[in-house]
């Protein structure tokens, strides 16, 4: 039946001349099947309606796209020309705003791009079609940036930073949370709202930080590595704080309170140790030694994305951030020269 519907849709799309081609290429048995309850000598519009009915659309010109030419048809998802053109305008606006911010304002291009998104997005102009799709693309881009942050971790530079750098990163993560918490209490908010306000001040967007550090070409400097480390740590702290808000809503079990803390610390410490010291040796001893030298980069890329697909749900369902799983997957290949070149 599906083959019949597809074939009928193709005949319908061919429009004028479909009758003659059908007579040439269909055998009599198939011809009788299509001619059942239909006169092909009738008007072309009726013939097209018949094919559309076979293909899953309604008669009277409905091709399964919906009244406005967009929406979900039986043969896939379709968009209107207006939405497509608006998306192209939006991409152009993002690029122009980024160039303006970097060349005229002497600021990171990301600043202009963010402002373009705010102005044209749902908060203001609401010009962007299907904003959920753009959010999805943004989340995918964030995952790739966090992955790059893990790959770009320089272990020798981190060793130079040492314990002092880690302490600075922790203090830099906790201080904004404490300040925001104090301000919220001073303004008269309740405990739950104050904790939420503190948690929103804590995270450093690793995606934004990586974008700016890469433009400034300081990712692999001690300062850049310190910022990346701090971003990972304060994201973990903020996530733990937010997870504890559930304890303020009715009766919370000990497991609900402890699980996010143990999960986040476990993945960061144990997962980070495995990714740096155990996993590379394991794959080199079992897989990479069998791969030709010119194919090592591709093989590592495949293994890394397989690791992402395993760690993202593991961290998410363990009440940690799925971005931590992506970061650990990249961290496992921070010593890979092939991936750095790619």
């Amino acid at each position: 039946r599906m083959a019949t519907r597809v074939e009928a849709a193709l005949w319908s799309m061919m429009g004028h001349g479909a009758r003659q081609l059908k007579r040439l290429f269909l055998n009599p048995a198939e011809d009788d099947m299509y001619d059942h309850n239909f006169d092909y000598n009738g008007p072309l519009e009726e013939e097209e309606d018949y094919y559309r009915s076979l293909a899953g659309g309604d008669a009277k010109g409905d091709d399964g796209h919906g009244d406005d030419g967009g929406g979900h048809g039986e043969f896939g998802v379709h968009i209107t020309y207006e939405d497509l053109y608006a998306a192209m305008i939006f991409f152009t606006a993002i690029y122009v705003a980024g160039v303006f911010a970097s060349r005229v304002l002497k600021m990171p291009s990301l600043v202009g791009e963010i402002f373009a998104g705010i102005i044209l997005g749902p908060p203001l102009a609401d010009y962007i079609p299907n904003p959920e799709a753009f959010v999805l693309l943004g989340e995918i881009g964030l995952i790739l940036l966090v992955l790059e942050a893990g790959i770009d971790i320089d272990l020798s530079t981190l060793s130079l930073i040492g314990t002092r750098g880690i302490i600075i990163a922790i203090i830099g993560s906790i201080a904004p949370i404490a300040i925001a918490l104090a301000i919220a209490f001073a303004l008269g908010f309740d405990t739950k709202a104050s904790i939420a306000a503190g948690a929103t001040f804590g995270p450093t967007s690793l995606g934004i930080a990586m974008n700016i550090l890469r433009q400034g070409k300081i990712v692999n400097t001690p300062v850049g590595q310190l910022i990346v480390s701090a971003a990972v740590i304060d994201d973990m702290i903020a996530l733990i704080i937010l997870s504890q808000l559930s304890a303020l809503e009715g009766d919370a079990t000990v497991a609900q309170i402890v699980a996010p803390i143990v999960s986040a610390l476990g993945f960061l410490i144990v997962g980070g140790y495995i990714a740096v010291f155990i996993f590379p040796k394991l794959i080199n001893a079992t897989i990479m030694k069998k791969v030709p030298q010119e194919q090592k980069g591709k093989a590592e890329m495949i293994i890394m994305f397989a690791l992402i697909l395993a760690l993202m749900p593991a961290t998410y369902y363990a009440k940690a951030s799925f971005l931590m799983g992506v970061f650990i997957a990249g961290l496992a290949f921070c010593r890979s020269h092939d991936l750095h070149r790619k």
Side-chain angles (χ1 to χ4, degrees):
R1 176 174 173 79
M2 186 61 191
T4 302
R5 296 168 71 91
V6 171
E7 190 174 353
L10 292 175
W11 285 119
S12 175
M13 287 186 291
M14 291 173 68
H16 226 22
R19 179 187 296 112
Q20 302 303 324
L21 290 173
K22 173 194 169 296
R23 296 294 185 187
L24 287 173
F25 292 104
L26 291 182
N27 61 45
E30 292 172 325
D31 193 50
D32 291 340
M33 176 184 68
Y34 280 98
D35 282 346
H36 182 63
N37 292 330
F38 187 81
D39 180 12
Y40 277 101
N41 295 318
L44 179 62
E45 290 77 7
E46 293 182 13
E47 182 175 341
E48 290 177 347
D49 285 346
Y50 172 74
Y51 283 125
R52 288 192 181 100
S53 67
L54 283 178
D58 296 331
K60 304 302 181 184
D62 183 4
D63 57 358
H65 295 183
D67 293 339
D68 58 354
H72 297 270
E74 181 139 359
F75 289 102
V77 179
H78 306 276
I79 60 173
T80 63
Y81 162 77
E82 289 77 10
D83 285 349
L84 179 61
Y85 188 72
M88 297 301 296
I89 293 292
F90 179 56
F91 282 125
T92 304
I94 291 174
Y95 175 76
V96 172
V99 172
F100 179 80
S102 62
R103 296 187 180 181
V104 178
L105 302 179
K106 306 301 180 182
M107 302 173 68
S109 62
L110 187 64
V111 176
E113 294 165 359
I114 290 175
F115 270 97
I118 293 174
I119 294 172
L120 296 177
L124 292 178
D126 197 16
Y127 178 75
I128 303 172
N130 303 314
E132 296 85 359
F134 286 94
V135 172
L136 176 61
L137 292 176
E139 292 292 335
I140 294 173
L142 176 61
I143 288 174
L144 295 178
L145 280 173
V146 173
L147 178 65
E148 182 182 4
I151 296 174
D152 283 339
I153 287 293
D154 190 337
L155 297 178
S156 59
T157 304
L158 278 181
S159 64
L160 292 176
I161 296 174
T163 306
R164 181 179 62 180
I166 301 298
I167 293 174
I168 293 174
I170 294 175
I171 294 176
S173 303
I174 296 178
I177 297 175
I179 293 172
L181 187 66
I183 293 174
F185 275 125
L187 293 175
F189 290 97
D190 59 16
T191 302
K192 182 179 177 181
S194 300
I195 293 176
T200 58
F201 273 75
T204 299
S205 173
L206 188 54
I208 294 177
M210 277 298 299
N211 188 295
I212 296 174
L213 291 174
R214 190 173 60 238
Q215 288 187 21
K217 299 180 180 180
I218 58 173
V219 175
N220 292 318
T221 64
V223 173
Q225 295 293 296
L226 181 60
I227 292 174
V228 172
S229 302
V232 174
I233 292 173
D234 62 22
D235 275 355
M236 179 192 70
I237 294 174
L239 186 68
I240 291 174
I241 293 175
L242 285 174
S243 68
Q244 300 311 304
L245 289 177
S246 61
L248 301 177
E249 297 181 352
D251 297 330
T253 64
V254 176
Q256 290 176 327
I257 298 175
V258 175
I261 301 175
V262 174
S263 174
L265 292 175
F267 274 107
L268 183 64
I269 297 173
V270 179
Y273 179 85
I274 294 174
V276 172
F277 297 105
I278 298 178
F279 186 77
K281 295 179 181 178
L282 181 63
I283 63 169
N284 285 332
T286 57
I287 299 176
M288 299 309 297
K289 68 177 183 179
K290 303 176 182 178
V291 179
Q293 182 61 39
E294 63 274 10
Q295 298 295 327
K296 286 187 180 296
K298 294 180 180 179
E300 288 178 339
M301 186 77 72
I302 294 172
I303 296 172
M304 182 176 65
F305 274 93
L307 194 59
I308 291 173
L309 295 179
L311 287 177
M312 280 186 65
T315 49
Y316 177 79
Y317 290 110
K319 306 302 181 183
S321 171
F322 66 87
L323 291 177
M324 184 178 293
V326 177
F327 179 79
I328 292 173
L331 187 63
F333 294 89
C334 65
R335 291 193 179 99
S336 171
H337 298 292
D338 294 305
L339 282 183
H340 276 87
R341 285 199 299 269
K342 289 182 178 296

